[in-house]
């Protein structure tokens, strides 16, 4: 079952993402608890894919989300506009003046270094995006009239509340109704599911959504926690993974979910916060494709590496490539994104293709 992607001439958007976008506050090389200054930018697991496709790969993208209409919301909007992602699909909610009923999310994030791992401290209760409900978005207009080639969302947004899980299900069903390719990044976050039913609820929600997904993205922990599959030979900390064991699990996954036309995962072994082994695998039409493996990849900021992998992978498919080329676009883009600060990449498609072609890190003058 090959991906049947709509023609660009029939669609306003190459891709639209559905998800929450927070204001990221980064203490740089220091710690949150001792910081006196923070760098600010935007970030969100689903949004980062749309921004990467727009800013690095030059595709036309938009984002469906919601903000409280105050200065913080407008600051996040300004970041989105700088990234070139269309904001006409954003839902603005009146601010109550206190944040008692609705607010915008903050995400304090340490990059980590050496033996000190990265740390994320989200502050996202009562956000406008988490209160989106079925019927708030006119999906028929978006997918049926405006036209979208590819729709992307994921397990972070679905975990924000019972209503966002329902909105996610509504969106993927509508996308498939109009022939839009659907991708979904499982992106398991224990902290999000803990208070709403834990791993059992995560599996109930994600397995239901998965029935309307064409391209499923996730690492070994995601497939285990969100869909209930086990990878043999993986320790409790998931510090390393045998590729053959993961391939065996994916074979089981696509048997149970025959609607999956492709699946993909990053392969990351964390040696230190700043030194990771990095690779990726894609399954498509019964074949496995493995990206160039990059041992001892030096990391500046790992946050968003997986999202940048997803945007590169999707770009490859949108360009008509098979899983082999697509997974290499994804792995190269993810690797480059982790060499700069922030959730999203600061590279160009030429940079990505240079790395794919074996280009080195010699100075460019």
């Amino acid at each position: 079952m090959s991906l049947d992607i709509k023609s660009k001439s029939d669609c306003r958007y190459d891709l639209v993402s559905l998800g929450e976008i927070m204001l990221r506050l980064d203490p740089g090389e220091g710690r949150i608890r001792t910081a006196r200054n923070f760098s600010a930018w935007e970030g969100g697991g689903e949004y980062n894919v749309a921004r990467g496709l727009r800013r690095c790969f030059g595709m036309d993208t938009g984002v469906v989300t919601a903000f409280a209409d105050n200065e913080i919301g407008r600051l996040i909007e300004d970041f989105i506009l700088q990234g070139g992602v269309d904001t006409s699909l954003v839902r603005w909610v009146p601010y109550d003046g206190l944040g008692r009923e609705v607010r915008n999310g903050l995400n304090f994030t340490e990059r980590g270094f050496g033996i000190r791992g990265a740390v994320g401290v989200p502050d996202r209760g009562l956000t406008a995006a988490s209160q989106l409900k079925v019927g708030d978005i006119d999906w028929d207009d978006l997918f049926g009239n405006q036209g979208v080639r590819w729709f992307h969302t994921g397990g972070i947004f679905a975990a924000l509340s019972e209503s966002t899980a329902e909105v996610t299900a509504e969106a993927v069903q509508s996308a498939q109704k109009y022939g839009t390719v659907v991708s979904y990044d499982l992106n398991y976050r224990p902290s999000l599911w803990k208070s709403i039913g834990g791993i059992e609820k995560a599996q109930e929600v994600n397995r239901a959504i998965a029935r309307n997904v064409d391209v499923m993205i996730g690492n070994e922990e995601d497939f285990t926690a969100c869909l209930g599959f086990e990878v043999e030979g993986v320790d409790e900390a998931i510090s390393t993974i045998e590729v053959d064991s993961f391939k065996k699990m994916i074979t089981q996954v696509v048997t149970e979910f025959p609607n999956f036309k492709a699946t993909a995962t990053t392969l990351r072994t964390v040696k230190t916060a700043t030194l990771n082994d990095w690779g990726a695998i894609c399954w498509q039409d019964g074949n496995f494709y493995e990206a160039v493996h990059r041992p001892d990849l030096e990391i500046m900021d790992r946050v968003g590496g997986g999202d940048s992998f997803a945007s590169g992978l999707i770009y490859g498919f949108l360009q008509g490539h098979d899983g082999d080329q697509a997974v290499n676009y994804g792995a190269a883009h993810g690797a480059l994104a982790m060499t700069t600060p922030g959730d999203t990449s600061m590279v160009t498609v030429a940079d990505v293709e240079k790395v794919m072609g074996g280009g080195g890190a010699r100075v460019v003058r």
Side-chain angles (χ1 to χ4, degrees):
M1 294 187 297
S2 298
L3 291 166
D4 185 12
I5 302 174
K6 289 182 175 183
S7 169
K8 172 60 177 172
S9 62
D10 298 329
C11 298
R12 176 178 177 184
Y13 298 102
D14 290 301
L15 176 139
V16 168
S17 284
L18 165 67
E20 180 173 73
I21 308 170
M22 295 186 290
L23 183 69
R24 175 176 170 177
L25 298 171
D26 183 347
E29 296 175 353
R31 303 293 310 270
I32 295 167
R33 63 175 61 197
T34 56
R36 297 299 179 267
N37 296 286
F38 293 91
S39 295
W41 30 53
E42 85 286 21
E46 298 85 6
Y47 160 78
N48 294 341
V49 175
R51 191 189 189 282
L53 272 167
R54 174 64 188 91
R55 204 71 177 129
C56 175
F57 296 106
M59 310 242 88
D60 293 322
T61 64
V63 62
V64 176
T65 192
F67 294 124
D69 195 354
N70 60 20
E71 296 304 298
I72 296 173
R74 293 298 174 177
L75 172 59
I76 302 172
E77 179 194 35
D78 193 62
F79 279 123
I80 298 170
L81 290 169
Q82 290 179 51
V85 177
D86 181 68
T87 59
S88 65
L89 304 171
V90 173
R91 182 179 174 87
W92 291 94
V93 180
Y95 182 55
D96 60 18
L98 288 174
R100 182 179 289 129
E101 297 177 359
V102 65
R103 53 192 293 270
N104 297 304
L106 306 177
N107 189 22
F108 296 82
T109 306
E110 294 179 10
R111 302 177 202 167
F113 185 87
I115 60 172
R116 175 173 60 85
V119 176
V121 185
D123 178 17
R124 69 198 311 173
L126 302 177
T127 59
S130 72
Q131 297 181 56
L132 282 171
K133 295 178 175 58
V134 168
D136 282 347
I137 308 299
D138 189 345
W139 300 113
D140 288 329
D141 177 64
L142 177 60
F143 296 122
N145 295 327
Q146 298 189 56
V148 182
R149 302 176 72 200
W150 194 294
F151 177 70
H152 179 77
T153 188
I156 293 178
F157 180 73
L160 295 181
S161 66
E162 286 192 18
S163 69
T164 59
E166 293 167 352
V167 170
T168 305
E170 175 193 39
V172 297
Q173 289 168 23
S174 180
Q176 291 217 317
K177 172 184 173 183
Y178 289 103
T180 296
V181 175
V182 174
S183 61
Y184 188 86
D185 193 334
L186 291 163
N187 251 335
Y188 178 63
R189 299 288 186 271
S191 58
L192 291 178
W193 292 101
K194 182 169 61 175
S195 63
I196 57 172
I199 199 167
E200 292 80 11
K201 185 66 173 180
Q203 291 183 11
E204 175 190 335
V205 169
N206 284 291
R207 287 179 66 85
I209 292 168
R211 300 295 177 187
N212 293 103
V213 170
D214 299 298
V215 179
M216 183 62 79
I217 301 169
N219 63 26
E220 60 279 1
E221 181 185 17
D222 297 329
F223 279 97
T224 298
C226 297
L227 297 181
F229 295 94
E230 298 293 333
V231 184
E232 295 179 2
V234 177
D235 60 29
E236 186 176 342
I238 314 187
S239 61
T240 187
I241 181 171
E242 291 293 333
V243 171
D244 289 343
S245 296
F246 190 82
K247 288 180 177 179
K248 184 177 180 181
M249 183 203 69
I250 289 298
T251 301
Q252 297 173 356
V253 170
V254 297
T255 299
E256 184 163 343
F257 293 92
N259 51 292
F260 292 173
K261 298 178 179 66
T263 68
T265 184
T266 56
L267 300 174
R268 184 198 296 266
T269 299
V270 178
K271 297 180 176 179
T272 71
T274 39
L275 201 66
N276 294 182
D277 292 343
W278 173 257
I281 291 179
C282 175
W283 173 94
Q284 184 190 28
D285 293 337
N287 298 308
F288 283 98
Y289 303 100
E290 192 167 348
V292 172
H293 191 62
R294 294 179 172 86
D296 294 334
L297 182 69
E298 293 173 297
I299 308 293
M300 176 182 283
D301 184 352
R302 68 166 283 170
V303 178
D307 303 328
S308 294
F309 164 75
S311 62
L313 177 88
I314 293 168
Y315 172 75
F317 283 135
L318 284 170
Q319 292 297 97
H321 298 302
D322 65 8
D324 185 27
Q325 190 83 335
V327 76
N328 275 289
Y329 268 108
H333 188 223
L336 285 166
M338 293 185 289
T339 67
T340 54
D343 279 37
T344 57
S345 83
M346 300 181 182
V347 299
T348 66
V349 65
D351 295 328
V352 174
E353 291 175 345
K354 176 184 174 182
V355 168
M356 289 172 64
R362 287 177 60 87
V363 66
V364 177
R365 294 191 172 120

